């Protein structure tokens, strides 16, 4: 087409950060005032169209100013106000779980349908700091065929054009547009807005398709101004190729042009610092997501009452609001996080309350053993699980349902006193999506004084831990865990750098603008001491204490002898400025090293070139045969690999909300992030070949959604000592994400996905209602099943009832 035919679609918008350099209360006021201002512009200018996303913002206005909301509904019906995005809020697009992204669309699209009579057709995350490679599938299955973003910008990622076809890891694709050069004006532009339009007119000469030009004041709300519209009216009068428009009109226009270039994978990098800034918030996010998914599964199979699902939805919406990119990204001012912590706390309290009372109700109906105590352990996963658990009692004997004596050991607790000073550690075998029981003989709350002394004062000069299969060695001189060897095959899993925590100088701002990697000076930490904490048939536990001038890392190294896994429980006493703490591990040198990271409901191979990547629950570094190390975490979202060395970035200590090129005043002490005592939990899996890889996602899920433990006194009951409510058989790469109540129908929703990038088959079963459904997955495919009250199964999309039955 000729240049004269290519349109510039003017998109009037207002990017509103609900919190950032201000708190939530101020953000709410900005939503109201911005929406009122947009309605004023609509009444003043017959051509102007306002575009806005985020169902949460509309709900806020509906709640606090119903008359204003009714005016918005009329403007939408008249075609003057365009509802887009389809999500509850514009979140960070790397850190949330796949299920969180689905809930963004589920709750957002349902709200838009209910209040405006239609759903959005375009995804819209204009300020998020990068976009994971599974978003095309997530968008497509919630009715969003198009996507609009801005970051990474032109200087951060080279793309063939502003509009392209974005293909995700499963092969799904959406038509995508990157905003040139930005989404806002930053001020009440007149002449400067004219310069922006002139710039976009030059851009369009190099493009083969139309463009969008965004205008309107942000990030603190505001929207298009009278001066904006005065300037744009003149352009529209003088040039017929420039027109007031909305996102849907643009993509309709774009559909008439020749096929677009295809871009595969994720859209990175922008603000790598936001993968690791504010570790507490990131861990709370991970904890709340998994608590919600676990609670939903438990409530579903126990057929809990209807009202409880309203509480679950309320908890989810708290988490979704907290996933706003400036909140979860860790780049807001410090006091803005008070509200964020309240919201995560509310979600965790709701899930804790519902889970506790649901399971207490269940175990109260179990017919327990008639002597001693009954240990009842619930598994929230639909596959059999072997897991180490800790009990707040000291046992003399533990017997399973087949009358076998079970090995266990006594370990110190966090308490220092006469009662409850020790726990019992035992490995349990659990049925799929259900519970089993163990008979505890003579449980007590404390040990005799002689036994207590033996445990409290146990010391060793040995520098190794051993199980039947593994030997772990600590190099005292170098201060590293230097070797993990398979005693039967003589395979060595660690490279010469071993495993060690390190401090790295980091002078970047909160976002780490313009960086792809952290290449600062490595500041060695000294291994100050290592001590045997406990040793038994179940595990060996050591405490390693690393020190720097200002900080300490207290590392508990636990070798689970019956599971052949190693846990690292890390307590950090941190008092650093402009440094990051990383946990490093290395594998033996190899010619073809592969680095793989989990992303939402999937995984991606990464270049082991030192770049910092957004990660989820696991990372794997291995050779061409799949032999290597897999590190699982409970809320670390940043990692990298350089050749044969892999590291997780646990935390960073920039100044709160520091944005280059500005710098703090030299006469005032700024507030640095991460002062205090953060905690981390990691688990190391050893893989010998690619055959071990399909189960990694399951192991990561087991680590983050652990069994629920209850010790019961003697009582009668009608329920058996063991029961399975459902199961998932077949390929181990199939993951159950959630079971939940359907939103608008009777029945339940079951969501599963393939996690290893290959075709897979399985059978999912439930006891009540009776279900046995065969599953066939393509690579990284997500499936959503609707099960009615009779057990009939139908495949559906993420929006559940917005379907053709």
């Amino acid at each position: 087409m000729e240049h004269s035919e290519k349109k510039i679609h003017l998109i009037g918008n207002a990017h509103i950060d609900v919190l950032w350099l201000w708190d939530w209360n101020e953000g709410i006021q900005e939503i109201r005032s911005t929406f009122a201002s947009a309605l004023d512009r609509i009444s003043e200018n017959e051509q102007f169209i306002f575009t806005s996303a985020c169902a949460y913002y509309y709900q806020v206005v509906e709640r606090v100013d119903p008359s204003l909301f009714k005016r918005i509904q009329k403007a939408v019906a008249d075609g003057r106000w365009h509802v887009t995005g389809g999500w509850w809020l514009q979140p960070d697009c790397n850190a949330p779980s796949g299920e969180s992204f689905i809930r963004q669309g589920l709750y957002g699209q349902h709200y838009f349908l209910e209040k405006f009579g239609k759903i959005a057709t375009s995804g819209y995350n204009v300020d998020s700091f990068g976009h994971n490679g599974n978003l095309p599938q997530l968008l497509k299955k919630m009715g969003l065929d198009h996507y609009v973003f801005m970051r990474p910008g032109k200087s951060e990622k080279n793309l063939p054009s502003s509009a392209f076809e974005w293909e995700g890891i499963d092969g799904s694709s959406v038509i995508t547009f990157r905003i040139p050069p930005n989404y806002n004006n930053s001020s009440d532009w007149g002449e400067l807005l004219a310069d922006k339009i002139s710039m976009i007119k030059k851009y369009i000469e190099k493009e083969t398709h139309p463009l969008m030009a965004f205008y309107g004041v942000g990030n603190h709300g505001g929207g298009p101004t009278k001066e904006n519209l005065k300037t744009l009216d003149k352009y529209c009068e003088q040039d017929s190729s420039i027109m007031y428009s909305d996102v849907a009109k643009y993509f309709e226009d774009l559909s008439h042009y020749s096929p677009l270039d295809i871009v595969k994978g994720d859209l990175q990098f922008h603000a790598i610092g936001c993968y690791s800034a504010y570790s507490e918030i990131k861990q709370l996010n991970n904890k709340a997501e998994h608590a919600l998914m676990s609670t939903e599964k438990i409530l579903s199979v126990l057929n809990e009452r209807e009202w409880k699902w309203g509480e679950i939805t309320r908890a989810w919406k708290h988490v979704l609001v907290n996933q706003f990119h400036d909140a979860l990204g860790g780049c807001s001012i410090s006091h803005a996080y008070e509200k964020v912590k309240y919201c995560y706390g509310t979600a965790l309290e709701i899930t804790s309350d519902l889970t506790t009372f649901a399971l207490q109700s269940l175990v109260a109906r179990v017919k327990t053993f008639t002597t001693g105590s009954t240990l009842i352990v619930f598994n929230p996963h639909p596959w059999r699980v072997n897991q180490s658990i800790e009990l707040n009692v000291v046992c003399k004997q533990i017997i399973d349902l087949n009358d076998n004596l079970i090995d266990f050991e006594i370990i110190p607790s966090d308490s220092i006193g006469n009662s409850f000073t020790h726990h019992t550690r035992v490995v349990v075998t659990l049925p799929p999506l259900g519970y089993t029981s163990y008979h505890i003989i003579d449980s007590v709350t404390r040990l005799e004084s002689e036994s207590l002394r033996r445990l409290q004062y146990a010391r060793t000069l040995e520098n190794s831990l051993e199980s039947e299969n593994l030997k772990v060695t600590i190099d005292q001189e170098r201060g590293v865990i230097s070797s993990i060897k398979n005693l039967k095959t003589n395979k060595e899993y660690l490279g010469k750098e071993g495993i060690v925590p390190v401090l790295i100088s980091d002078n970047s701002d909160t976002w780490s603008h313009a960086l792809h990697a952290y290449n600062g000076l490595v500041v060695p930490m000294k291994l100050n001491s290592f001590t045997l904490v406990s040793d038994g048939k179940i595990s060996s536990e050591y405490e390693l204490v690393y020190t720097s001038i200002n900080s300490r890392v207290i590392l508990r190294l636990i070798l689970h002898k019956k599971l052949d896994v190693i846990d690292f429980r890390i307590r950090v006493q941190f008092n650093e400025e402009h440094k990051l703490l990383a946990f490093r591990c290395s594998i033996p040198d190899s010619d073809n090293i592969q680095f793989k990271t989990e992303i939402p409901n999937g995984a991606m191979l990464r270049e082991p070139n030192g770049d910092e990547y957004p990660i989820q629950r696991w990372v794997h570094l291995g050779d061409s045969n799949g032999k290597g190390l897999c590190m699982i975490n409970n809320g670390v979202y940043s990692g990298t690999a350089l050749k044969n060395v892999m590291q997780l970035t646990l935390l960073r200590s920039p100044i709160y909300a520091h944005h280059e090129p500005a710098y703090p005043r030299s006469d005032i002490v700024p507030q640095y992030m991460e002062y205090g005592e953060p905690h981390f939990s990691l688990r190391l899996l050893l893989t010998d070949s690619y055959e071990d890889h399909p189960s990694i996602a399951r192991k990561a899920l087991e680590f983050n959604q652990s069994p629920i433990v209850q010790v019961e006194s003697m009582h009668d009951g009608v329920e058996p000592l063991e029961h399975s409510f459902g199961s998932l058989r077949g390929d181990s790469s199939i993951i159950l994400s959630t079971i939940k109540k359907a939103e608008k129908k009777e029945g339940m929703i079951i969501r599963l996905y393939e996690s290893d990038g290959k075709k897979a088959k399985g059978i999912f079963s439930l006891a009540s209602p009776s279900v046995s459904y065969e599953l066939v997955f393509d690579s990284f495919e997500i499936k959503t099943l609707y099960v009615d009250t009779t057990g009939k199964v139908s495949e559906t999309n993420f929006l559940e009832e917005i379907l053709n039955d």
Side-chain angles (χ1 to χ4, degrees), residues 227-327:
E227 188 68 23
N228 290 162
L229 300 185
K230 182 179 177 181
T231 299
L232 295 175
D233 282 345
K234 292 179 181 178
Y235 271 100
C236 292
E237 291 172 4
Q238 297 169 2
D239 189 340
S240 62
S241 69
I242 300 175
M243 54 184 287
Y244 287 102
S245 189
D246 60 50
V247 171
K249 288 185 175 70
Y250 170 75
F251 283 114
E252 170 60 25
D253 186 11
L254 183 64
S255 69
H256 299 297
Y257 285 73
S258 54
L260 300 169
D261 292 315
I262 296 175
V263 174
K264 296 183 179 182
D266 55 3
L267 302 175
Q268 312 292 359
F269 297 94
H270 178 85
I272 65 169
C274 291
Y275 310 156
S276 51
Y278 214 145
S279 64
E280 180 185 4
I281 295 301
K282 289 175 168 59
Q283 287 182 320
L284 283 171
N285 178 75
N286 182 74
K287 187 175 183 179
E289 287 179 325
H290 285 288
L292 279 161
M293 288 185 277
S294 180
T295 299
E296 286 182 326
K297 287 181 282 188
I298 291 168
L299 295 185
S300 295
V301 298
L302 296 183
N303 295 313
E304 284 299 310
R305 289 187 296 273
E306 185 82 13
W307 66 267
K308 295 186 177 182
W309 289 100
E311 287 290 283
I312 287 287
T313 299
R314 185 166 76 93
W316 265 114
K317 287 180 178 179
H318 277 304
V319 172
L320 300 183
V321 171
N322 279 353
Q323 290 174 341
F324 184 69
H325 52 278
D326 287 322

Side-chain angles (χ1 to χ4, degrees), residues 9 11 46 62 92 101 110 188 203 216 237 265 348 356 361 406 423 447 499 509 511 520 538 567 642-643 648 705 805:
H9 293 252
I11 309 298
E46 294 181 354
E62 181 186 19
D92 180 281
F101 285 111
H110 280 191
D188 190 6
Y203 287 164
E237 291 172 4
L348 289 167
T356 297
S361 177
I406 303 300
H423 289 170
L447 292 174
I499 299 175
D509 66 5
W511 289 259
I538 304 302
D567 282 356
L642 181 59
K643 298 180 180 178
L648 299 184
Q705 295 179 32
D805 288 339

